[in-house]
Amino acid sequence: MGSALKQINIKDLRTLKLLLPPLAEQKRIVAKIEELLPKVEEYGKAQDALNKLNEELPERLKKSILQEAIEGRLVPQDPNDEPASVLLAKHQSLRTKPPLRFLRVGSGLDFPMSLIL
């Protein structure tokens, strides 16, 4: 068995001396890591929440704008405008009228029959 690098073998690794900081410095490093770890976890949770909000924002914004439009708060309202019920009644009356019939004249000109009769 060997290592990933051809120049270093297991025998070389066993004889390798690693320089470590003094024990007091190692303890100070561990204490600092333990002190900061809860903040790192807190920041991680905050980042997750931010990512979730950024992911949901387009759909929530779309729904919010639609709701504002439905409630008439998207643009200033003109008091002279007809109420929606009147517009709806007009729309429904247009749907119940028979469709226009067209008469083709000459080179492709179409005229509504109601204008001709």
Coordinates of all heavy atoms in Angstrom, one line a residue, residues 30-81:
V30 N -8.3 26.1 21.5 CA -9.6 25.3 21.8 C -10.6 26.1 22.5 O -11.8 26.1 22.1 CB -9.3 24.0 22.5 CG1 -10.5 23.3 23.0 CG2 -8.4 23.0 21.7
A31 N -10.2 26.9 23.5 CA -11.2 27.7 24.2 C -11.8 28.8 23.3 O -13.0 29.0 23.3 CB -10.5 28.4 25.4
K32 N -11.0 29.4 22.4 CA -11.5 30.4 21.5 C -12.5 29.7 20.5 O -13.5 30.3 20.2 CB -10.3 31.0 20.7 CG -10.7 32.2 20.0 CD -11.1 33.3 20.9 CE -11.3 34.6 20.2 NZ -11.8 35.7 21.1
I33 N -12.1 28.6 20.0 CA -13.0 27.9 19.1 C -14.4 27.5 19.8 O -15.4 27.8 19.2 CB -12.4 26.6 18.5 CG1 -11.3 26.9 17.6 CG2 -13.4 25.7 17.8 CD1 -10.4 25.8 17.1
E34 N -14.3 27.1 21.0 CA -15.5 26.8 21.8 C -16.3 28.0 22.0 O -17.6 28.0 22.1 CB -15.2 26.0 23.1 CG -14.7 24.6 22.8 CD -14.2 23.9 24.1 OE1 -14.0 24.6 25.1 OE2 -14.1 22.7 24.0
E35 N -15.7 29.1 22.2 CA -16.4 30.4 22.4 C -17.1 30.9 21.1 O -18.2 31.4 21.2 CB -15.3 31.5 22.8 CG -15.9 32.9 23.0 CD -14.8 33.9 23.1 OE1 -13.7 33.6 23.6 OE2 -15.1 35.1 22.8
L36 N -16.4 30.7 20.0 CA -17.0 31.2 18.7 C -18.0 30.2 18.1 O -18.8 30.6 17.3 CB -15.8 31.5 17.8 CG -14.9 32.6 18.2 CD1 -13.8 32.8 17.2 CD2 -15.7 33.9 18.3
L37 N -17.9 29.0 18.4 CA -18.7 28.0 17.7 C -20.2 28.2 17.8 O -20.9 28.2 16.8 CB -18.4 26.6 18.3 CG -18.9 25.4 17.4 CD1 -18.4 25.5 16.0 CD2 -18.5 24.1 18.0
P38 N -20.8 28.6 19.0 CA -22.2 29.0 19.0 C -22.6 30.1 18.1 O -23.6 30.1 17.5 CB -22.5 29.3 20.5 CG -21.4 28.7 21.3 CD -20.2 28.7 20.4
K39 N -21.7 31.1 18.0 CA -22.0 32.2 17.1 C -21.9 31.8 15.6 O -22.8 32.2 14.8 CB -21.0 33.3 17.3 CG -21.1 34.0 18.6 CD -20.1 35.1 18.8 CE -20.3 35.8 20.2 NZ -19.4 36.8 20.5
V40 N -21.0 30.9 15.3 CA -20.9 30.3 14.0 C -22.2 29.6 13.6 O -22.8 29.7 12.6 CB -19.7 29.4 13.8 CG1 -19.8 28.7 12.5 CG2 -18.4 30.2 13.9
E41 N -22.7 28.8 14.6 CA -24.0 28.0 14.4 C -25.1 29.0 14.2 O -26.0 28.8 13.4 CB -24.2 27.1 15.5 CG -23.2 25.9 15.5 CD -23.3 25.0 16.7 OE1 -24.0 25.3 17.7 OE2 -22.5 24.0 16.8
E42 N -25.1 30.1 15.1 CA -26.2 31.1 15.0 C -26.2 31.8 13.6 O -27.2 31.9 13.0 CB -26.0 32.1 16.1 CG -27.1 33.2 16.2 CD -26.8 34.2 17.3 OE1 -26.1 33.9 18.2 OE2 -27.3 35.3 17.1
Y43 N -25.0 32.1 13.2 CA -24.9 32.8 11.8 C -25.3 31.8 10.7 O -25.9 32.2 9.7 CB -23.5 33.2 11.6 CG -23.1 34.4 12.5 CD1 -21.7 34.6 12.8 CD2 -24.0 35.3 12.9 CE1 -21.3 35.6 13.7 CE2 -23.6 36.4 13.7 CZ -22.3 36.5 14.1 OH -21.9 37.6 14.9
G44 N -25.0 30.5 10.9 CA -25.4 29.5 9.9 C -26.9 29.4 9.8 O -27.5 29.3 8.7
K45 N -27.6 29.4 11.0 CA -29.1 29.4 11.0 C -29.7 30.6 10.4 O -30.6 30.6 9.6 CB -29.6 29.2 12.4 CG -29.3 27.8 13.0 CD -29.8 27.7 14.4 CE -29.5 26.4 15.0 NZ -29.8 26.3 16.5
A46 N -29.0 31.8 10.7 CA -29.5 33.1 10.1 C -29.3 33.0 8.6 O -30.2 33.5 7.9 CB -28.8 34.2 10.7
Q47 N -28.2 32.5 8.1 CA -28.0 32.4 6.7 C -29.0 31.5 6.0 O -29.5 31.7 5.0 CB -26.6 31.9 6.4 CG -26.2 31.9 4.9 CD -26.2 33.2 4.3 OE1 -25.6 34.1 4.8 NE2 -26.9 33.4 3.2
D48 N -29.3 30.3 6.7 CA -30.4 29.4 6.2 C -31.7 30.1 6.1 O -32.4 30.0 5.1 CB -30.5 28.2 7.1 CG -29.3 27.3 7.0 OD1 -28.5 27.4 6.0 OD2 -29.1 26.4 7.9
A49 N -32.1 30.9 7.1 CA -33.3 31.6 7.1 C -33.3 32.7 6.0 O -34.3 32.8 5.3 CB -33.6 32.3 8.4
L50 N -32.2 33.4 5.8 CA -32.1 34.3 4.7 C -32.2 33.7 3.3 O -32.9 34.2 2.5 CB -30.8 35.1 4.8 CG -30.5 36.1 3.7 CD1 -31.5 37.2 3.8 CD2 -29.1 36.7 3.9
N51 N -31.6 32.5 3.2 CA -31.7 31.8 1.9 C -33.1 31.4 1.6 O -33.6 31.5 0.5 CB -30.8 30.6 1.9 CG -29.3 30.9 1.9 OD1 -28.9 32.0 1.6 ND2 -28.5 30.0 2.2
K52 N -33.8 31.0 2.7 CA -35.2 30.6 2.5 C -36.1 31.8 2.1 O -37.0 31.7 1.2 CB -35.8 29.9 3.8 CG -37.2 29.4 3.7 CD -37.6 28.8 5.0 CE -39.1 28.3 4.8 NZ -39.6 27.8 6.1
L53 N -35.9 32.9 2.8 CA -36.6 34.1 2.4 C -36.4 34.5 1.0 O -37.3 34.9 0.2 CB -36.3 35.3 3.4 CG -36.9 35.2 4.8 CD1 -36.3 36.3 5.6 CD2 -38.4 35.3 4.7
N54 N -35.1 34.5 0.6 CA -34.8 34.9 -0.8 C -35.4 33.9 -1.8 O -35.8 34.3 -2.9 CB -33.2 34.9 -1.0 CG -32.6 36.1 -0.4 OD1 -33.3 37.2 -0.2 ND2 -31.4 36.0 0.0
E55 N -35.5 32.7 -1.4 CA -36.1 31.7 -2.3 C -37.6 31.9 -2.5 O -38.2 31.8 -3.5 CB -35.9 30.3 -1.8 CG -36.2 29.2 -2.7 CD -35.8 27.8 -2.0 OE1 -34.6 27.6 -1.9 OE2 -36.8 27.0 -1.7
E56 N -38.3 32.3 -1.3 CA -39.7 32.5 -1.3 C -40.1 33.9 -1.8 O -41.3 34.1 -2.2 CB -40.3 32.3 0.1 CG -40.1 30.9 0.6 CD -40.5 30.8 2.1 OE1 -40.7 31.9 2.8 OE2 -40.6 29.7 2.6
L57 N -39.2 34.8 -1.8 CA -39.6 36.2 -2.1 C -40.3 36.4 -3.4 O -41.4 37.1 -3.5 CB -38.3 37.1 -2.0 CG -38.6 38.6 -2.3 CD1 -39.5 39.2 -1.2 CD2 -37.3 39.4 -2.4
P58 N -39.8 35.9 -4.5 CA -40.6 36.1 -5.8 C -42.0 35.7 -5.8 O -42.9 36.5 -6.2 CB -39.8 35.3 -6.8 CG -38.4 35.2 -6.3 CD -38.6 35.1 -4.8
E59 N -42.3 34.5 -5.3 CA -43.7 34.1 -5.2 C -44.5 34.9 -4.2 O -45.7 35.3 -4.5 CB -43.8 32.6 -4.8 CG -45.1 32.0 -4.9 CD -45.7 32.0 -6.3 OE1 -45.0 32.0 -7.3 OE2 -47.0 32.1 -6.4
R60 N -44.0 35.2 -3.1 CA -44.7 36.0 -2.1 C -45.0 37.4 -2.6 O -46.0 38.0 -2.4 CB -43.9 36.1 -0.8 CG -43.9 34.7 -0.1 CD -43.0 34.8 1.2 NE -43.7 35.4 2.2 CZ -43.3 35.6 3.4 NH1 -42.1 35.2 3.7 NH2 -44.0 36.1 4.4
L61 N -44.0 38.0 -3.3 CA -44.2 39.3 -3.9 C -45.2 39.3 -5.0 O -46.1 40.2 -5.0 CB -42.8 39.8 -4.5 CG -42.8 41.2 -5.0 CD1 -43.1 42.2 -4.0 CD2 -41.4 41.5 -5.6
K62 N -45.2 38.3 -5.8 CA -46.3 38.2 -6.8 C -47.7 38.1 -6.2 O -48.6 38.8 -6.6 CB -46.0 36.9 -7.6 CG -47.0 36.6 -8.7 CD -46.5 35.3 -9.5 CE -47.6 34.7 -10.3 NZ -47.2 33.5 -10.9
K63 N -47.8 37.3 -5.1 CA -49.1 37.2 -4.5 C -49.5 38.5 -3.8 O -50.7 38.9 -3.8 CB -49.1 36.0 -3.4 CG -49.0 34.7 -4.0 CD -48.9 33.6 -2.9 CE -48.9 32.2 -3.5 NZ -48.8 31.2 -2.5
S64 N -48.6 39.2 -3.2 CA -48.8 40.4 -2.6 C -49.3 41.5 -3.6 O -50.3 42.2 -3.3 CB -47.6 40.9 -1.8 OG -47.8 42.2 -1.3
I65 N -48.6 41.6 -4.7 CA -49.0 42.5 -5.7 C -50.4 42.2 -6.3 O -51.2 43.1 -6.4 CB -48.0 42.6 -6.9 CG1 -46.7 43.2 -6.4 CG2 -48.5 43.3 -8.1 CD1 -45.5 43.1 -7.3
L66 N -50.7 40.9 -6.5 CA -52.0 40.5 -7.0 C -53.1 40.9 -6.0 O -54.1 41.4 -6.3 CB -52.0 39.0 -7.3 CG -53.3 38.4 -7.8 CD1 -53.7 39.1 -9.1 CD2 -53.2 36.9 -8.0
Q67 N -52.8 40.7 -4.7 CA -53.8 41.0 -3.6 C -54.0 42.5 -3.6 O -55.2 42.9 -3.5 CB -53.2 40.5 -2.3 CG -54.2 40.7 -1.1 CD -55.5 39.8 -1.3 OE1 -55.4 38.7 -1.8 NE2 -56.6 40.3 -0.9
E68 N -53.0 43.3 -3.7 CA -53.1 44.7 -3.7 C -54.0 45.2 -4.9 O -54.8 46.1 -4.8 CB -51.8 45.4 -3.8 CG -50.9 45.3 -2.5 CD -51.5 46.1 -1.4 OE1 -51.8 47.3 -1.5 OE2 -51.6 45.4 -0.3
A69 N -53.7 44.5 -6.1 CA -54.5 44.9 -7.3 C -56.0 44.5 -7.1 O -56.9 45.3 -7.5 CB -53.9 44.2 -8.5
I70 N -56.2 43.3 -6.5 CA -57.6 42.9 -6.3 C -58.3 43.9 -5.4 O -59.5 44.2 -5.6 CB -57.6 41.5 -5.8 CG1 -57.2 40.5 -6.9 CG2 -59.0 41.1 -5.2 CD1 -57.0 39.1 -6.4
E71 N -57.6 44.3 -4.4 CA -58.3 45.2 -3.4 C -58.3 46.7 -3.8 O -58.7 47.6 -3.1 CB -57.5 45.1 -2.1 CG -57.7 43.7 -1.4 CD -56.9 43.5 -0.2 OE1 -56.2 44.4 0.3 OE2 -57.0 42.4 0.4
G72 N -57.7 47.0 -5.0 CA -57.8 48.3 -5.6 C -56.8 49.3 -5.0 O -57.0 50.5 -5.0
R73 N -55.7 48.7 -4.4 CA -54.8 49.6 -3.7 C -53.4 49.7 -4.5 O -52.5 50.3 -4.0 CB -54.5 49.0 -2.3 CG -55.7 49.0 -1.4 CD -55.3 48.7 0.0 NE -54.6 47.5 0.1 CZ -54.7 46.6 1.0 NH1 -55.6 46.7 2.0 NH2 -53.9 45.5 1.1
L74 N -53.4 49.1 -5.7 CA -52.2 49.2 -6.5 C -51.9 50.5 -7.1 O -50.8 51.0 -7.2 CB -52.2 48.1 -7.5 CG -50.9 47.7 -8.1 CD1 -49.9 47.2 -7.1 CD2 -51.1 46.6 -9.1
V75 N -53.0 51.1 -7.6 CA -52.9 52.5 -8.2 C -54.0 53.3 -7.6 O -55.0 52.8 -7.0 CB -53.1 52.4 -9.7 CG1 -52.0 51.6 -10.4 CG2 -54.5 51.8 -10.1
P76 N -53.9 54.6 -7.7 CA -54.9 55.5 -7.2 C -56.3 55.2 -7.9 O -56.3 55.0 -9.1 CB -54.4 56.9 -7.5 CG -53.0 56.8 -7.7 CD -52.7 55.4 -8.2
Q77 N -57.3 55.3 -7.2 CA -58.6 55.0 -7.7 C -59.3 56.2 -8.2 O -59.2 57.3 -7.6 CB -59.5 54.3 -6.7 CG -59.0 53.0 -6.2 CD -58.8 52.0 -7.3 OE1 -59.7 51.6 -8.0 NE2 -57.6 51.5 -7.5
D78 N -59.9 56.1 -9.4 CA -60.7 57.2 -10.0 C -62.1 57.1 -9.6 O -62.8 56.1 -9.9 CB -60.6 57.2 -11.5 CG -61.3 58.3 -12.2 OD1 -62.0 59.1 -11.5 OD2 -61.1 58.4 -13.4
P79 N -62.7 58.1 -8.8 CA -64.1 57.9 -8.4 C -65.1 57.9 -9.5 O -66.2 57.5 -9.3 CB -64.3 59.2 -7.5 CG -63.1 60.1 -7.8 CD -62.0 59.3 -8.4
N80 N -64.7 58.3 -10.7 CA -65.6 58.3 -11.9 C -65.6 57.0 -12.5 O -66.5 56.7 -13.4 CB -65.1 59.4 -12.9 CG -65.2 60.8 -12.3 OD1 -66.1 61.1 -11.5 ND2 -64.2 61.6 -12.6
D81 N -64.7 56.0 -12.2 CA -64.8 54.7 -12.7 C -66.0 54.0 -12.3 O -66.5 54.1 -11.2 CB -63.5 53.9 -12.3 CG -62.3 54.3 -13.0 OD1 -62.4 55.0 -14.1 OD2 -61.2 53.9 -12.6

